[in-house]
């Protein structure tokens, strides 16, 4: 037992950093968090929170279309573009993000964490220099350092953002009007979510995908549903189309594809991935091992290659989710401060893509089974057969469950549907606790409900031997 408080310095106040700081303070350490942009990090200020708030607005607008199939309101002319004030929507979003950032800061201060605005870097593994916005540079001794500096949008040299018409996802919230014709470059999670959102808000959207379908890394059946829905709602999806660059000319943007084709629009959103924010932190000099992509190498308890230096979140490249960043940060502090700790288990991480419908996944995936890494059986039930989905007029989607061959325990699942992010939880519980298909199937669900399809999928996986 030390006779003085352990000192912990956290670089970066996103979910990786602030959740770690809460745990460290709870375990009795003297904690300093330094953040360049504000507590909550990119997750709260520019990425998750703003995008999900925008998507909720878009869903609210789209729901009126779904309702159009259920009710007839005489005398009401519907048209989202006629009523939507994007300036006001964005103001609300930025206020929401700022308020959440303040809440996090207050929470940290309440538990005794010192919160500083500025930039930190390692001088040695046990000394950190803080260039504070409020004054001169400070040097702190640290028993434990956690690096949780996140990532930033990848910028193509041939498509430099101007913050007005050529935009990264972090620059969207100053737009006063829905882009009349938005070209989204990149059809990964961020590109697909935001393309869907602006389409729902009433804009014309062209989605440029370098692969043969959108969401290339995801369950192929789920991606097909989303691509079909996008096209049906009027989005122009261009597959096998790799963007070479983007330029602006007055109120127009021009995106050039590698095969020479050109697309014109009013705005372009670049969603071509992220790069870790690990430069200039003194990591290599302190002996911290990085990968070729610049991510910090960590093990399952968030240790780097240097004793006393931990890392969490997007700067590690483990899995770019706020939930995972937070868990890595908590694990790091529990480990560093000698508390009970379970190593990070990616097998049980639920992930959601906030398109409309949403795609939620947990556990093993179809590719694991198809490529022989997991011995399991799959059942897929379309939502169009679910009575509640029919009543709600929300028929796009499915429930897919994977059961291990032999043990019949549930090892994974995919839900595509409205609020799939809420529906995945029973599947996640089943995967985490290795429930069998029969245990899932014997649980009585609400009638009528979308979750009824999850139990029904489990019943279909029942084997009599
Ligand atoms: C558009 C979009 C939507 C997303 N939506 C979701 C979602 O719905 N759900 C989900 O789970 N994940 C989502 N993600 C992923 C999620 O945002 C990240 O996984 C998460 O932000 C990672 O947290 P972090 O703590 O590693 O870093 P960040 O949230 O990036 O925070 C890092 C912080 O470190 C600060 N910093 C950097 N360098 C220094 C330095 N030298 N000194 C001090 N401070 C520094 C930065 O200013 C920043 O505030 C989304 C990502 C994007 C791009």
């Amino acid at each position: 037992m030390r006779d003085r408080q352990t000192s912990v310095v956290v670089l970066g106040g996103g979910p990786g950093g602030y959740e770690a700081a809460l745990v460290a303070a709870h375990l009795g350490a003297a904690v300093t968090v330094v953040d360049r942009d504000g507590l909550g990090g990119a997750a709260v200020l520019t990425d998750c929170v703003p995008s999900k708030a925008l998507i909720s607005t878009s869903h609210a607008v789209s729901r009126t279309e779904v309702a159009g199939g259920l009710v007839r309101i005489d005398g009401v002319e519907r048209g989202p573009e006629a009523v939507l004030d994007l300036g006001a929507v964005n103001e609300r979003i930025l206020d929401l993000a700022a308020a959440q950032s303040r809440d996090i800061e207050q929470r940290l201060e309440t538990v005794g964490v010192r919160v500083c605005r500025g930039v930190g870097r390692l001088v040695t593994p046990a000394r950190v220099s803080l260039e504070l916005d409020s004054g001169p540079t400070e040097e702190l001794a640290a028993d434990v350092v956690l690096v949780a500096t996140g990532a930033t949008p990848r910028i193509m040299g041939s498509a430099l953002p101007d913050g007005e018409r050529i935009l990264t996802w972090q620059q969207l919230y100053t737009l006063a009007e829905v882009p009349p014709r938005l070209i989204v470059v990149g059809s990964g999670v961020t590109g697909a979510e935001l393309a869907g959102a602006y389409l729902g808000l009433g804009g014309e959207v062209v989605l440029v995908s370098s692969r043969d379908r959108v969401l290339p890394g995801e369950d192929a059946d789920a991606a097909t549903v989303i691509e079909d829905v996008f096209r049906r709602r009027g989005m122009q999806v261009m597959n096998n189309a790799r963007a070479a660059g983007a330029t602006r000319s007055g109120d127009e943007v021009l995106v050039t594809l590698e095969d020479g084709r050109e697309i014109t629009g009013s705005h372009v959103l670049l969603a071509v991935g992220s790069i870790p924010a690990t430069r200039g932190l003194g990591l290599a000099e302190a002996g911290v091992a990085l990968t070729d992509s610049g991510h910090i190498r960590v093990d399952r308890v968030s240790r780097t290659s240097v004793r006393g230096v931990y890392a969490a979140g997007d700067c590690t490249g483990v899995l770019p989710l706020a939930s995972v960043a937070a868990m890595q940060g908590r694990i790091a502090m529990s480990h560093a401060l000698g508390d009970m700790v379970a190593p990070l288990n990616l097998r049980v991480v639920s992930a959601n893509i906030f398109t409309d419908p949403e795609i939620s996944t947990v556990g093993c995936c179809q590719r694991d089974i198809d490529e022989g890494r997991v011995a399991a059986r799959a059942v897929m039930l379309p939502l169009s057969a679910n009575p509640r989905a029919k009543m709600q007029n929300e028929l796009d989607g499915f429930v897919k469950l994977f059961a291990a061959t032999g043990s019949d325990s549930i090892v994974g699942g995919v839900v595509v549907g409205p609020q799939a992010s809420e529906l995945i939880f029973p599947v996640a519980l089943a995967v985490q606790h290795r429930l069998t298909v029969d245990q899932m199937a014997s649980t009585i669900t609400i009638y009528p409900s979308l979750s009824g399809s999850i139990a029904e999928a489990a019943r279909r996986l029942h084997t009599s031997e």
Side-chain angles (χ1 to χ4, degrees), residues 12 14-16 35-37 41-43 48 52 120 149-150 169 281 313-314 320-322:
D35 191 281
R36 190 187 56 208
D37 298 318
C48 302
K52 260 76 271 183
T149 45
W169 62 78
L281 297 177
D314 284 8
L321 287 176

Side-chain angles (χ1 to χ4, degrees), residues 213-252:
R213 62 172 168 80
V214 302
L215 294 167
E218 306 301 323
D219 181 273
D221 294 313
T224 302
V225 170
I226 298 305
E227 188 166 324
D228 289 349
V229 169
F230 278 172
R231 289 185 195 278
R232 196 175 71 223
R233 292 186 185 154
M235 189 187 294
Q236 185 186 346
V237 180
M238 299 180 71
N239 291 334
N240 300 310
R242 188 174 285 275
T247 51
R248 174 180 174 180
S249 161
D251 289 349
E252 248 191 21

Side-chain angles (χ1 to χ4, degrees), residues 10-19 33-52 55 116-122 129-131 146-153 169-170 172-173 189-191 193-194 271 273-274 277-281 312-317 319-326 328 349-354:
V10 178
L11 306 185
Y18 77 74
E19 286 287 342
V33 176
V34 60
D35 191 281
R36 190 187 56 208
D37 298 318
L39 266 281
V44 168
L45 295 169
T46 53
D47 295 1
C48 302
V49 169
S51 66
K52 260 76 271 183
I55 287 166
C116 316
R117 179 67 78 89
V119 175
R121 61 185 295 280
L122 292 183
S129 101
L130 306 182
E131 228 177 88
L146 177 78
V147 184
T149 45
T152 53
W169 62 78
Q170 302 192 328
L172 292 169
Y173 304 98
V189 175
T190 299
E193 285 187 353
L194 290 166
S274 299
T278 51
R279 285 217 184 143
L281 297 177
D314 284 8
C315 64
T316 68
L319 190 56
L321 287 176
S323 50
V324 172
Q328 285 180 289
V349 175
S350 315
N352 193 60
I353 302 175
F354 291 79

Side-chain angles (χ1 to χ4, degrees), residues 154 179 229 255 384 440:
R154 186 165 83 80
V229 169
V255 171
S384 54
M440 176 82 109

Side-chain angles (χ1 to χ4, degrees), residues 43-288:
V44 168
L45 295 169
T46 53
D47 295 1
C48 302
V49 169
S51 66
K52 260 76 271 183
L54 183 80
I55 287 166
S56 318
T57 307
S58 171
H59 280 200
V61 175
S62 313
R63 290 281 78 78
T64 63
E65 266 166 44
V66 174
L70 305 175
V71 291
R72 190 178 138 200
I73 308 170
D74 284 334
V76 175
E77 291 275 341
R78 206 199 63 78
E81 57 288 349
V83 292
L84 192 89
D85 176 351
L86 190 67
V89 168
N90 282 338
E91 202 180 306
R92 171 183 173 267
I93 288 173
L94 294 177
D95 285 350
L96 199 84
Q100 198 162 326
S101 172
R102 275 194 306 276
D103 284 354
I104 295 167
E105 184 163 347
Q106 273 166 15
R107 202 166 144 217
L108 288 182
E109 285 175 346
T110 308
V111 297
V113 173
R114 178 184 172 212
V115 176
C116 316
R117 179 67 78 89
V119 175
R121 61 185 295 280
L122 292 183
V123 181
T124 69
R127 281 199 88 71
V128 176
S129 101
L130 306 182
E131 228 177 88
L132 300 180
D133 289 1
S134 60
T137 300
E138 224 182 82
E139 235 180 75
L140 288 183
D143 300 304
V144 177
V145 177
L146 177 78
V147 184
T149 45
T152 53
R154 186 165 83 80
I155 304 294
M156 297 159 65
S158 54
L160 291 177
D162 66 359
E164 289 179 0
R165 291 194 177 260
I166 303 181
L167 303 155
T168 69
W169 62 78
Q170 302 192 328
Q171 297 172 326
L172 292 169
Y173 304 98
T174 51
L175 292 175
E177 284 169 16
V178 176
R181 184 170 156 87
L182 175 67
I183 304 167
V184 178
V185 175
S187 68
V189 175
T190 299
E193 285 187 353
L194 290 166
Y198 285 99
L199 185 75
L201 293 172
E204 222 178 275
V205 175
V206 183
L207 181 57
V208 177
S209 172
S210 62
R211 308 286 279 277
D212 56 2
R213 62 172 168 80
V214 302
L215 294 167
E218 306 301 323
D219 181 273
D221 294 313
T224 302
V225 170
I226 298 305
E227 188 166 324
D228 289 349
V229 169
F230 278 172
R231 289 185 195 278
R232 196 175 71 223
R233 292 186 185 154
M235 189 187 294
Q236 185 186 346
V237 180
M238 299 180 71
N239 291 334
N240 300 310
R242 188 174 285 275
T247 51
R248 174 180 174 180
S249 161
D251 289 349
E252 248 191 21
V253 292
L254 176 75
V255 171
T256 313
L257 304 184
E258 279 184 358
D259 61 13
R261 282 180 290 170
E262 292 182 336
I263 316 157
T264 53
S266 62
H267 297 74
V268 57
L269 164 62
L270 303 165
V272 289
S274 299
I275 54 165
T278 51
R279 285 217 184 143
L281 297 177
L283 293 170
E285 296 83 340
V288 175

